[in-house]
Amino acid sequence: MSLSWREDLQEVREEILPSTWSLPGLSIRGFDSSKMGVRDCFVVFLVLLAAASTTGMDYSGQSGVTREIRERYVFSFLSNALYGETHGQVFIAPTTNKPTNGRLWLPYLNFERYFYDIEFGNYTVINLPSIGSGEQPSTVVIEADADIVVYGRHFRPPRFTEDSFVVVPKRALGTEYYVASYNPLQSSSPVFMVTAVDNDTEVQIRLSGNFTYKGRSCNKNRPLTLNLDQYQTYQFKTPFDPTGSHISRRTSRFSVSSGSECAYVPRQVGTCDNLLENLIPVTSWGRTFSLAPFRGRESIGYVIRVIAAYQLTTVRLSNTDQRWTLQNGKFFEFAITGLEVLQISSNNPVLVLQYQKGNHAGDENGDPSMTIVPSHGQSRRGDIIFPVYDIDNAHVTVRLTHGDQRSLLLNGQRVNWEVIGKDYDGGKILQKTVLPGFYAISHLYARAEMSVLVYGNQDQKSYAHPGVFRFQIRPPGRLSFYPFMTRLGGSDNPRVLYCRVVFGFVHRSGLRVKEPGSISLSSG
């Protein structure tokens, strides 16, 4: 499928936006190369040098040339025990005009697929073999020679269980995560997976409940240490809700996926459905969020969970005067009713999950799903590309800032958006019903910023996932706005607290960093 409107859209943008200045081989909007000094030239040179520093990737099987790896993804799928083994499906689409080549492979299985010369507006879908539980040989690795977006679909045909997710690129993975899931059922379990990117990856897991691993009892106070080789994955099934379980490593980044084989949402309200998200690290969490009801299911409302990573995290909702004060690894759940836009704010970064309710909640028009809600800071400019999977009722919710909804385009066309409301930061919340297919949302004004939620529902079947958003790749210890956020940091010594360091804060205070990203303070 092709989106031939991209060239026309660029012509329209150039008519209403400032011209583009350029250096030989480099084009930067709003940048005047005639005013460059020696220092500026040196900075541009470093940028170009960094962009050129990639690893060779051989596609000689068809093209006869060796191309460069620009983007890499490493992740895995969860099992679905209720209806048997899981089927995974991967959606890959380029985000630039460059014809894109790459491969998808499962390093521990005899499975490899290549894709060649995919143009912007086209995509490829690859079906994966089914997986089980325990130590997983099913890690998925995707390499491409140009920027791409990747989505995963997790389903068990032909039965009614499904969910979907956006995949976090390797460059945005982190070293600290908190698990997001839901309550267990007797016949199925909450699940999370840890996938190593490098060899000798040692992760520490502080579980929110009691868990036996190889005869050893593990919990929050008795952490489990797991050693994984490159691209090795281990899947955990827990008899309790693992939400808030802490997974960390000091150096190498790794990937975490979590959810449930089949969950009731809310608890005790059927029917159950599969939940799955590829988690973002703590360094990508945010402080402000805007949510709208799921279109077509407004009458029954939805459920949210907010997870904290820092001590004394205060969370407010716009529809109540109640405040929640959370410690690290704790969360609260709240059932939301009403048609207005819900706004969530916090003094520290948090992770927000939005859940669709089960089929028996009142409308018999869907099932549970779980999706990460992008924060306001994760809105992005440019095209947001995403799939809408086959389902009876599919919708998108868009948060738009710095632009008018009349110039918000769907596959290059002006469409009618329903305005749900506005949030305190001036964002407009828009919704539209769509058909299954391949979509790109863009805006005529290049500075407009957007975030997207994609979801669908029918009798005993639902899915939801965010459109690709801006991953805030913030190194540990360099949080931009919050200099005094204390946390226990997983320390076994109750008299030692840890503090995330604001960039430059150490120099002003004269404190010495004990280890990257933390300062040791005595509570006495």
Side-chain angles (χ1 to χ4, degrees), residues 111-351:
F111 187 89
E112 188 173 42
R113 297 290 185 271
Y114 288 85
F115 49 92
Y116 299 97
D117 297 326
I118 304 178
E119 303 278 355
F120 179 89
N122 293 303
Y123 60 91
T124 185
V125 174
I126 300 175
N127 293 315
L128 305 180
S130 59
I131 64 173
S133 61
E135 294 184 11
Q136 293 294 304
S138 56
T139 300
V140 180
V141 180
I142 301 174
E143 298 169 334
D145 63 356
D147 292 336
I148 58 174
V149 294
V150 178
Y151 293 87
R153 182 189 183 197
H154 186 214
F155 65 106
R156 175 66 172 92
R159 302 299 295 270
F160 302 133
T161 176
E162 183 168 342
D163 209 350
S164 54
F165 58 98
V166 61
V167 182
V168 180
K170 178 187 173 183
R171 56 182 165 78
L173 296 176
T175 60
E176 183 181 21
Y177 298 82
Y178 282 89
V179 172
S181 184
Y182 209 73
N183 303 296
L185 296 178
Q186 184 175 0
S187 57
S188 60
S189 302
V191 187
F192 68 92
M193 306 180 83
V194 181
T195 302
V197 175
D198 302 312
N199 282 321
D200 300 321
T201 298
E202 181 182 283
V203 297
Q204 185 182 81
I205 304 173
R206 293 182 178 271
L207 292 150
S208 58
N210 293 316
F211 183 80
T212 300
Y213 176 77
K214 296 184 177 180
R216 178 172 176 260
S217 178
C218 306
N219 51 41
K220 183 176 182 179
N221 298 318
R222 294 182 178 179
L224 165 64
T225 298
L226 192 66
N227 292 281
L228 298 172
D229 290 328
Q230 186 180 38
Y231 301 148
Q232 186 179 4
T233 294
Y234 198 94
Q235 175 172 271
F236 292 86
K237 295 183 179 181
T238 63
F240 54 87
D241 180 0
T243 299
S245 295
H246 182 244
I247 309 174
S248 63
R249 174 175 165 79
R250 289 186 179 181
T251 53
S252 298
R253 294 171 293 176
F254 57 95
S255 174
V256 177
S257 296
S258 70
S260 176
E261 294 176 325
C262 213
Y264 286 163
V265 180
R267 64 187 70 188
Q268 308 303 323
V269 176
T271 54
C272 77
D273 205 343
N274 171 236
L275 308 178
L276 173 60
E277 278 294 337
N278 190 213
L279 297 179
I280 56 176
V282 172
T283 50
S284 289
W285 292 12
R287 295 195 308 157
T288 53
F289 306 81
S290 296
L291 293 80
F294 289 106
R295 188 176 178 90
R297 307 196 73 191
E298 295 91 344
S299 62
I300 63 169
Y302 56 94
V303 173
I304 64 166
R305 280 188 169 185
V306 179
I307 307 173
Y310 300 93
Q311 297 289 84
L312 302 178
T313 294
T314 301
V315 183
R316 301 180 183 181
L317 305 184
S318 60
N319 65 344
T320 177
D321 293 331
Q322 183 177 355
R323 300 182 184 182
W324 289 262
T325 299
L326 304 174
Q327 310 305 323
N328 60 312
K330 300 300 181 180
F331 70 93
F332 74 88
E333 177 178 324
F334 201 78
I336 306 297
T337 57
L339 302 178
E340 68 276 3
V341 173
L342 174 71
Q343 297 175 81
I344 301 175
S345 60
S346 173
N347 63 325
N348 295 329
V350 294
L351 181 66

Side-chain angles (χ1 to χ4, degrees), residues 297-499:
R297 307 196 73 191
E298 295 91 344
S299 62
I300 63 169
Y302 56 94
V303 173
I304 64 166
R305 280 188 169 185
V306 179
I307 307 173
Y310 300 93
Q311 297 289 84
L312 302 178
T313 294
T314 301
V315 183
R316 301 180 183 181
L317 305 184
S318 60
N319 65 344
T320 177
D321 293 331
Q322 183 177 355
R323 300 182 184 182
W324 289 262
T325 299
L326 304 174
Q327 310 305 323
N328 60 312
K330 300 300 181 180
F331 70 93
F332 74 88
E333 177 178 324
F334 201 78
I336 306 297
T337 57
L339 302 178
E340 68 276 3
V341 173
L342 174 71
Q343 297 175 81
I344 301 175
S345 60
S346 173
N347 63 325
N348 295 329
V350 294
L351 181 66
V352 175
L353 289 306
Q354 186 176 9
Y355 298 79
Q356 292 195 69
K357 291 183 177 181
N359 192 61
H360 296 166
D363 65 350
E364 297 186 354
N365 185 34
D367 245 359
S369 67
M370 178 179 76
T371 181
I372 292 173
V373 179
S375 68
H376 290 182
Q378 291 173 316
S379 297
R380 57 175 289 169
R381 300 175 183 176
D383 305 304
I384 297 181
I385 298 169
F386 57 90
V388 174
Y389 298 112
D390 187 23
I391 203 165
D392 289 351
N393 307 291
H395 316 277
V396 293
T397 296
V398 180
R399 179 180 183 269
L400 172 66
T401 58
H402 311 304
D404 190 277
Q405 71 268 18
R406 292 170 295 183
S407 298
L408 183 64
L409 309 180
L410 187 65
N411 285 1
Q413 303 296 319
R414 295 179 187 268
V415 297
N416 293 322
W417 295 93
E418 180 182 356
V419 180
I420 304 301
K422 295 182 67 175
D423 58 35
Y424 296 146
D425 291 339
K428 300 174 184 177
I429 312 302
L430 314 170
Q431 289 185 337
K432 185 169 180 59
T433 300
V434 294
L435 296 174
F438 170 59
Y439 290 92
I441 288 179
S442 56
H443 201 278
L444 288 175
Y445 184 46
R447 293 187 179 181
E449 295 187 349
M450 300 158 287
S451 62
V452 176
L453 284 184
V454 185
Y455 50 95
N457 50 71
Q458 66 182 56
D459 182 32
Q460 300 187 49
K461 181 178 179 180
S462 289
Y463 65 80
H465 61 260
V468 64
F469 49 86
R470 182 169 61 191
F471 300 103
Q472 300 174 2
I473 310 172
R474 195 173 52 228
R478 293 189 179 182
L479 296 167
S480 300
F481 305 106
Y482 326 110
F484 294 105
M485 292 185 297
T486 59
R487 60 183 306 185
L488 292 177
S491 173
D492 292 326
N493 183 352
R495 295 179 61 80
V496 175
L497 301 179
Y498 286 89
C499 173

